[in-house]
Amino acid sequence: METLLNDFSPGLFIVQVILLLALIFLMVKFAWKPILNSLNEREAGIQDALAAAEKAKADMQNLQADNDRMLKEARAEREAMLKEAREIKDKMIADSKEQAKAEGDKMIKQAQATIESEKKAAVADIKSQVAELSVSIAEKVLKEELSAKDKQLQLVEKMLGDIKLN
Amino acid sequence: MKDVSKVIKKLVLFLAIGSSLQGFAVSEGQKEGTVSSKEDVDAYILHHIKDAHDFHLFSYTNSEGERKHVGFPLPVILWSSNGLVTFMSSEFHHDDNGEVVVEKNGSKFVKLHSKIYELEEGATSLSLDEDHHAANAHKVLDFSITKSVFGILLVGLFMLWAFSSLAKQYKSKSVPTGFGRVLEPLVIYVRDEIARPNIGEKKYRKFTGYLLTVFFFIWILNLLGLTPFGFNVTGQLAVTAALAIFTLFIYTFSGNKDYWMHMLWMPGVPVLIRPVLAIIELAGAFIIKPFSLLVRLFANISAGHIVVMSLIAIMFTLKETLTVGGATALSFVLSFFITLIEVLVAFLQAYIFTMLSALFIGMAVAEHEHEHEHDAEGHVVPDAEDVRGDFI
């Protein structure tokens, strides 16, 4: 202990106190303050940059989601339009088919009616012609019969037989 | 990171080899007046860990048998009974036994065991009593630029240069290059591992400048002590005492109301015990804390120097039993490894001094009676960071 106290140099102590004070003052002024300020600034900058990056990422995600949603909507809309168009087309085809069929039926019916009436007219015509022919034939027969009685009968007989055949 | 570890490895090797060279410098020329016996070794080591008035690198004996010393003198500044006296230490002619008398301003000075004494009125030479103390001389206030002061100035200038150039780098770029890249993580380390956790987020900034200065000051001086230049600045009681007293002043003058309240009139204990506690707390704050700081650093660094030098001295003390080669090899290996440990101790002591300073400051500025945070159900949330007590 005595050696320790003997070794303690008050002069060195005073010099050290003065030098340390000066050193602390100078270091704080010229080194620590600017260094710590810059470090803090840099750290704050990094923090800000990270936050900004995070925000940009979130924005990006929102944008992506929006895009996806819009794309989906557009796709659905297209799908709906296509479906509608197809329905309209089908309906139009069906309608026209029906109309055509009705028209056709109508025409066929008209044609049939015409044919029927033509046929009736033709039959009537034939009938009248047959009657005329029968009358003329009868006229001729009568004329012949007036000439020869046997022959008249014979003809009537034959004619009757022909009519039967008819 | 790789570069940094490379640099550190090189530094460690350099220091270790350097200290071994110191051994060779000591062992050179063992003739008259040199270190050769066990007593010489003890005296040499004791002389080395003391402060010196000149910068002595090594000594040798030339061909004429004359003892030569290599180094340079440093200025001696004394406050004697006749006022301020200055002269160069070379006027003592490397005498350390009080034999050379220097007369200046009407006062006579002698140097005995690295201390300068002023002879009493009328005395012409120093006489010693039985305990080898000066009988007819008294000590003077010695403001000399001793080897320690020289070392302090050197380290101070180095720190100013290194860290102000780091500070300048930030003006042009946000990430430093070169040597600054090594310094920056150290600064961040002290701030984030020492100042911030011990003092607290709110108040650490005010004290970081002091802690950084002290940390690098002690660390660099510790490392400088491991070089063959033989500085033993942080092993000087006066230096560690000054450092400890700075810390004492800082935590005493920045102590808040809670701090003084807890020291002088401890709340929460019976009134009768409070004065007793106050005495213990006062002793702790003003004597034990600074004393532990100053003695820890002084003792660790001095012990380190003594161990390294003793191991180097194996070279001559075990010369007879192990032959010159064996003793040298043993000394080299042992001092090499102990120097590696000393490199760690150099950092560790700087860290411990700074950490404890931060801790003491943190205890002085800590807020005790603040509102505790409450969670959603109204329970008190314990403070996240109050483990300071665990370290003491």
Side-chain angles (χ1 to χ4, degrees):
Chain A
M1 192 68 205
E2 205 206 328
T3 0
L4 279 184
L5 281 180
N6 191 46
D7 278 346
F8 184 85
S9 161
L12 177 60
F13 177 77
I14 293 165
V15 172
Q16 160 70 359
V17 166
I18 294 165
L19 288 180
L20 192 58
L21 261 181
L23 184 64
I24 291 170
F25 175 75
L26 290 174
M27 289 301 282
V28 166
K29 189 159 178 354
F30 292 112
W32 304 136
K33 226 174 219 162
I35 289 175
L36 290 174
N37 282 343
S38 312
L39 284 177
N40 277 5
E41 251 166 56
R42 194 175 73 189
E43 275 155 21
I46 290 171
Q47 212 71 46
D48 286 354
L50 282 177
E54 200 67 30
K55 198 174 163 285
K57 206 174 137 196
D59 283 358
M60 197 71 199
Q61 263 169 355
N62 279 350
L63 213 66
Q64 192 86 37
D66 272 9
N67 276 352
D68 281 354
R69 193 171 48 77
M70 274 161 73
L71 204 65
K72 226 183 220 169
E73 277 175 9
R75 203 173 285 143
E77 205 167 334
R78 194 192 64 178
E79 209 92 316
M81 277 165 78
L82 275 177
K83 204 174 158 201
E84 207 176 345
R86 207 176 294 127
E87 272 167 11
I88 290 172
K89 183 191 80 179
D90 287 351
K91 193 164 169 279
M92 270 169 76
I93 289 173
D95 280 1
S96 46
K97 255 187 195 163
E98 213 164 288
Q99 212 172 348
K101 201 177 162 222
E103 198 79 5
D105 284 355
K106 203 173 144 196
M107 275 166 78
I108 288 167
K109 257 182 200 155
Q110 260 176 0
Q112 276 173 342
T114 313
I115 288 168
E116 196 68 25
S117 65
E118 290 283 315
K119 198 173 128 188
K120 272 179 188 163
V123 169
D125 192 31
I126 287 168
K127 272 182 183 169
S128 70
Q129 276 187 25
V130 167
E132 243 172 79
L133 209 61
S134 314
V135 170
S136 67
I137 289 168
E139 206 181 84
K140 272 176 188 169
V141 169
L142 283 174
K143 269 175 189 169
E144 273 233 0
E145 212 243 352
L146 285 173
S147 54
K149 205 155 175 184
D150 292 351
K151 252 201 170 163
Q152 258 181 358
L153 284 166
Q154 220 176 337
L155 189 70
V156 169
E157 245 4 84
K158 192 184 163 244
M159 279 176 101
L160 283 169
D162 281 352
I163 288 165
K164 264 179 197 169
L165 278 169
N166 257 353
Chain B
M1 270 329 276
K2 231 181 175 181
D3 289 348
V4 173
S5 72
K6 250 187 200 167
V7 168
I8 290 172
K9 264 184 204 161
K10 274 185 189 161
L11 202 71
V12 169
L13 269 179
F14 169 75
L15 288 171
I17 291 168
S19 96
S20 307
L21 285 176
Q22 188 179 16
F24 288 125
V26 171
S27 68
E28 267 170 24
Q30 294 167 20
K31 282 190 186 167
E32 203 64 22
T34 56
V35 182
S36 51
S37 69
K38 201 176 166 303
E39 289 71 34
D40 288 345
V41 169
D42 289 349
Y44 188 91
I45 292 173
L46 282 178
H47 174 75
H48 164 81
I49 60 168
K50 279 182 184 165
D51 206 357
H53 283 85
D54 46 12
F55 201 101
H56 178 238
L57 286 170
F58 60 90
S59 304
Y60 64 97
T61 312
N62 66 8
S63 49
E64 279 100 53
E66 225 178 317
R67 193 80 185 141
K68 289 281 181 192
H69 301 282
V70 177
F72 50 89
L74 293 165
V76 175
I77 305 159
L78 302 170
W79 184 257
S80 71
S81 47
N82 291 326
L84 199 68
V85 181
T86 57
F87 54 93
M88 291 307 278
S89 66
S90 51
E91 297 201 24
F92 284 119
H93 299 295
H94 300 285
D95 168 57
D96 201 33
N97 299 318
E99 282 157 9
V100 177
V101 179
V102 176
E103 198 169 343
K104 291 272 154 159
N105 276 21
S107 303
K108 296 191 182 73
F109 301 102
V110 291
K111 189 151 74 81
L112 176 67
H113 302 317
S114 306
K115 287 260 178 288
I116 292 177
Y117 293 84
E118 185 184 356
L119 290 181
E120 305 288 351
E121 213 56 43
T124 50
S125 69
L126 183 73
S127 57
L128 301 171
D129 57 20
E130 306 92 62
D131 303 327
H132 282 273
H133 291 309
N136 59 347
H138 60 268
K139 276 192 210 165
V140 285
L141 256 186
D142 185 357
F143 300 115
S144 309
I145 309 297
T146 58
K147 201 174 178 180
S148 294
V149 176
F150 185 71
I152 292 165
L153 288 170
L154 215 64
V155 168
L157 289 176
F158 170 75
M159 279 169 70
L160 267 179
W161 167 75
F163 287 103
S164 59
S165 62
L166 172 64
K168 262 188 219 114
Q169 284 202 356
Y170 287 113
K171 278 181 192 152
S172 51
K173 49 197 162 204
S174 59
V175 177
T177 50
F179 190 45
R181 196 174 283 176
V182 183
L183 296 178
E184 195 202 76
L186 294 169
V187 175
I188 294 176
Y189 175 78
V190 173
R191 187 194 63 176
D192 288 352
E193 303 298 325
I194 298 177
R196 211 176 249 176
N198 287 311
I199 300 177
E201 196 62 43
K202 273 185 229 154
K203 289 171 176 163
Y204 80 95
R205 284 214 72 168
K206 217 168 80 186
F207 305 102
T208 312
Y210 169 71
L211 295 173
L212 280 164
T213 312
V214 165
F215 176 80
F216 286 106
F217 182 77
I218 296 174
W219 188 28
I220 298 170
L221 278 172
N222 285 350
L223 287 177
L224 203 60
L226 294 174
T227 61
F229 300 115
F231 284 106
N232 185 25
V233 185
T234 38
Q236 299 298 327
L237 264 183
V239 174
T240 59
L243 287 166
I245 283 170
F246 266 70
T247 299
L248 168 70
F249 270 57
I250 288 173
Y251 71 71
T252 303
F253 287 111
S254 53
N256 56 16
K257 210 183 109 206
D258 286 341
Y259 172 69
W260 291 106
M261 183 79 159
H262 277 74
M263 189 170 356
L264 299 172
W265 206 242
M266 179 71 86
V269 294
V271 179
L272 280 175
I273 298 176
R274 288 184 185 189
V276 182
L277 273 179
I279 292 167
I280 296 170
E281 290 277 337
L282 280 171
F286 290 102
I287 298 165
I288 298 167
K289 278 179 188 172
F291 204 73
S292 73
L293 281 179
L294 86 92
V295 169
R296 184 182 296 109
L297 182 57
F298 160 76
N300 271 290
I301 300 307
S302 294
H305 280 244
I306 291 170
V307 169
V308 171
M309 295 191 78
S310 306
L311 289 174
I312 289 166
I314 285 177
M315 235 181 267
F316 2 94
T317 49
L318 291 182
K319 201 164 56 183
E320 270 84 50
T321 37
L322 291 175
T323 73
V324 178
T328 309
L330 181 67
S331 149
F332 190 88
V333 169
L334 288 178
S335 54
F336 181 81
F337 284 110
I338 210 76
T339 307
L340 289 183
I341 294 172
E342 284 304 313
V343 172
L344 175 69
V345 170
F347 174 81
L348 206 63
Q349 287 307 320
Y351 171 77
I352 290 173
F353 191 98
T354 320
M355 219 278 290
L356 284 176
S357 294
L359 193 67
F360 295 156
I361 295 168
M363 291 198 300
V365 298
E367 281 164 26
H368 295 283
E369 250 92 29
H370 61 80
E371 273 292 308
H372 287 269
E373 280 182 63
H374 295 266
D375 62 14
E377 280 93 43
H379 299 299
V380 172
V381 176
D383 290 334
E385 194 189 296
D386 216 354
V387 289
R388 288 170 208 144
D390 301 345
F391 290 105
I392 307 166

